[in-house]
Amino acid sequence: MRLTVIGTGYLGATHAACMAELGHEVLGVDVEPDRIAALRSGRLPFYEPGLDELVAKHVASGRLRFTTSYEEAAAFADVHFSCVGTPQRADGDGADLRYVDAVVETLAPFLERPALVVGKSTVPVGTAARLSARLAELAPAGAAARLAWNPEFLREGYAVEDTLRPDRLVFGIDPATPETESLLREVYATPLAEGVPVVVTDFPTAELVKTAANAFLATKISFINAMAEVCEATDADVTELSRALSFDTRIGGRFLNAGVGFGGGCLPKDIRAFRARAEELGAGPALAFLGEVDAINLRRRDRVVALAEELCGDELSGCRVAVWGAAFKPESDDIRDSPALDVAARLRRRGALVSVHDPKALDNARKRHPELDYATGALEAAQDADLVVHLTEWAEYRALDPKAVAEVVATPRLIDGRNALDTTAWRAAGWTVRPLGRP
Ligand code: UDX
């Protein structure tokens, strides 16, 4: 099939390359000429494992092309995926829909033939119905320009895998246009043939599946972090608690790792937008708990700062702190709402001299927080440090030899903000170790 993918960020670039991998002819569309120029030469403007190879492969095969022209997009294909971002609004907790709206406003006037626009972004419930009406109003094809909602659940770091073999597909369709379902089934023929389950439903349910999934995951993480707070008050061990809980198949162990909490471009803003939307709909009390989920999450960052103060003798001013990790999670260079970088910046504001290391996110971090120092190696960051704070659980930090690190620091003190390091080995090498939620 011929498809366009509008928006070439983490979601769109992945979707475009994966659709080409599934055998479709794909035209990626973005309003940023620099981004399009990079993609045309097979280069990605961000880090995602395996994606650069896939983009390069299909740029070379000719199945994947890029443009800045919506007119070209409308002429090229009759199925258009909208993959633009829905960041948090600057003036509140709701979602900023300007990019989602702009796709419909810009594309629709070029839709002269019957076409299907497929929304993939995470949006407040009710958005698809509104966009569907707007599309029909603006398109020369009128009601033959249709909309479907097909939320994306990919995780950064596993984006290619999650797109080619998703846990499930969700098709939100207008009951008046059942033929849109067969078009979507044709797009996803390969994963469907491999047995990927599909839920075909209406617009609002499809929109809610995504926000509900992210709310559940955020709640699970904050649940275990709340347990960590209780553990801290009683000298219990949250990692053993979590392990014991995980054997209960009703609970399961995934997303039950206590630490400095969740960040990234999705969970934090999605739970805030979900709650804001529920309030608009008069269902505020149903999601009031998400305020608590957010608060627990942010308190973990306070806890790390408090531990740093405790370890450095209540005086962070002039204290040399090495921060390991800037990305919001490993295998990503994404620093959006990153707990690691937020903690680093807070330590700096309290007067600490902070040296940050991250295997992939240094360029992004430097642009956002030029006031911090950056090191190109974990050991370099730790040189003469009074305290090391481990905040993003990259495998390379687990592979470090605690004895070798002890030799370069001023004082061997460590906060493990991800409960990912072997505390026994670090203590045996002479380190004072303070994990989160553990004695
Ligand atoms: C998330 C959802 O998983 C994905 O389905 C959705 O489409 C977008 O949002 P992503 O933002 O890529 O994906 O990251 P995810 O792997 O979910 O991790 C989110 C955050 O939670 C990270 O900061 C991670 O460090 C943290 N986390 C995750 C924990 O603190 N503990 C855990 O047990 C799991």
Side-chain angles (χ1 to χ4, degrees):
M1 293 172 87
R2 285 180 157 210
L3 313 172
T4 79
V5 176
I6 303 170
T8 58
Y10 286 95
L11 166 57
T14 308
H15 192 67
C18 290
M19 290 300 106
E21 179 71 7
L22 292 180
H24 302 303
E25 276 187 57
V26 183
L27 183 63
V29 186
D30 205 292
V31 292
E32 281 182 40
D34 290 351
R35 182 172 279 256
I36 289 300
L39 286 163
R40 273 182 181 151
S41 55
R43 277 181 295 116
L44 270 186
F46 54 86
Y47 172 70
E48 176 61 42
L51 187 57
D52 40 2
E53 288 92 329
L54 207 61
V55 168
K57 174 179 165 189
H58 290 296
V59 166
S61 75
R63 282 224 291 272
L64 178 57
R65 294 187 304 111
F66 294 94
T67 183
T68 52
S69 163
Y70 273 82
E71 190 173 2
E72 188 185 341
F76 176 77
D78 297 319
V79 178
H80 307 278
F81 283 94
S82 171
C83 294
V84 292
T86 49
Q88 186 173 331
R89 293 172 67 101
D91 60 354
D93 281 352
D96 180 347
L97 294 175
R98 81 178 80 171
Y99 306 108
V100 168
D101 289 345
V103 169
V104 166
E105 301 285 324
T106 319
L107 178 66
F110 295 114
L111 297 178
E112 287 171 4
R113 308 181 300 265
L116 177 64
V117 176
V118 188
K120 290 199 77 69
S121 317
T122 306
V123 290
V125 59
T127 305
R130 179 173 64 75
L131 292 179
S132 172
R134 189 75 183 135
L135 192 61
E137 192 181 313
L138 291 176
R146 285 167 183 157
L147 189 88
W149 213 261
N150 167 222
E152 178 56 59
F153 302 94
L154 67 80
R155 297 160 300 166
E156 289 179 24
Y158 302 89
V160 171
E161 213 175 299
D162 284 353
T163 308
L164 293 175
R165 277 169 293 278
D167 289 342
R168 79 303 215 176
L169 288 162
V170 175
F171 299 162
I173 60 171
D174 178 345
T177 65
E179 65 282 10
T180 55
E181 180 186 339
S182 24
L183 263 181
L184 286 171
R185 284 187 181 273
E186 207 180 323
V187 171
Y188 292 110
T190 307
L192 289 174
E194 287 166 357
V196 170
V198 58
V199 177
V200 182
T201 184
D202 50 43
F203 286 156
T205 309
E207 292 166 316
L208 280 172
V209 175
K210 177 59 195 273
T211 35
N214 278 353
F216 188 84
L217 294 172
T219 303
K220 206 171 172 194
I221 299 167
S222 277
F223 172 83
I224 200 65
N225 282 331
M227 295 305 112
E229 285 190 39
V230 178
C231 285
E232 278 154 13
T234 56
D235 273 345
D237 186 328
V238 74
T239 60
E240 285 170 22
L241 172 68
S242 162
R243 191 162 160 265
L245 289 176
S246 74
F247 294 115
D248 185 328
T249 50
R250 294 168 304 173
I251 299 175
R254 294 176 73 189
F255 276 71
L256 215 53
N257 297 323
V260 73
F262 59 81
C266 296
L267 298 191
K269 61 109 177 149
D270 287 350
I271 59 167
R272 290 171 198 149
F274 195 15
R275 199 174 160 214
R277 183 65 182 138
E279 265 160 28
E280 282 171 12
L281 294 167
L287 296 188
F289 74 95
L290 288 179
E292 205 50 51
V293 166
D294 204 1
I296 293 165
N297 193 52
L298 296 176
R299 277 207 300 274
R300 293 286 75 193
R301 304 179 188 186
D302 300 340
R303 170 73 181 163
V304 175
V305 174
L307 274 177
E309 269 168 351
E310 198 182 308
L311 284 167
C312 290
D314 285 334
E315 188 46 81
L316 276 174
S317 184
C319 186
R320 303 182 76 90
V321 181
V323 169
W324 287 345
F328 82 103
K329 68 173 190 182
E331 296 306 327
S332 173
D333 66 353
D334 194 347
I335 55 154
R336 286 175 294 173
D337 212 333
S338 165
L341 210 47
D342 185 26
V343 167
R346 289 202 212 178
L347 294 171
R348 179 75 197 95
R349 284 200 292 276
R350 282 171 167 72
L353 303 167
V354 182
S355 181
V356 181
H357 172 258
D358 189 281
K360 294 286 178 193
L362 282 191
D363 289 345
N364 288 339
R366 200 178 277 116
K367 277 180 225 144
R368 178 79 53 84
H369 285 288
E371 78 281 13
L372 301 172
D373 289 329
Y374 294 94
T376 51
L379 277 182
E380 186 192 325
Q383 193 72 44
D384 300 324
D386 301 302
L387 172 67
V388 175
V389 190
H390 172 243
L391 292 174
T392 312
E393 68 277 33
W394 286 94
E396 78 163 79
Y397 302 138
R398 284 196 293 283
L400 288 167
D401 174 5
K403 288 196 204 84
V405 190
E407 276 166 25
V408 304
V409 296
T411 320
R413 294 188 197 116
L414 171 74
I415 296 174
D416 184 3
R418 290 291 180 180
N419 288 319
L421 301 177
D422 179 350
T423 42
T424 313
W426 284 79
R427 282 180 180 140
W431 288 77
T432 301
V433 183
R434 298 299 302 267
L436 291 191
R438 305 178 71 188

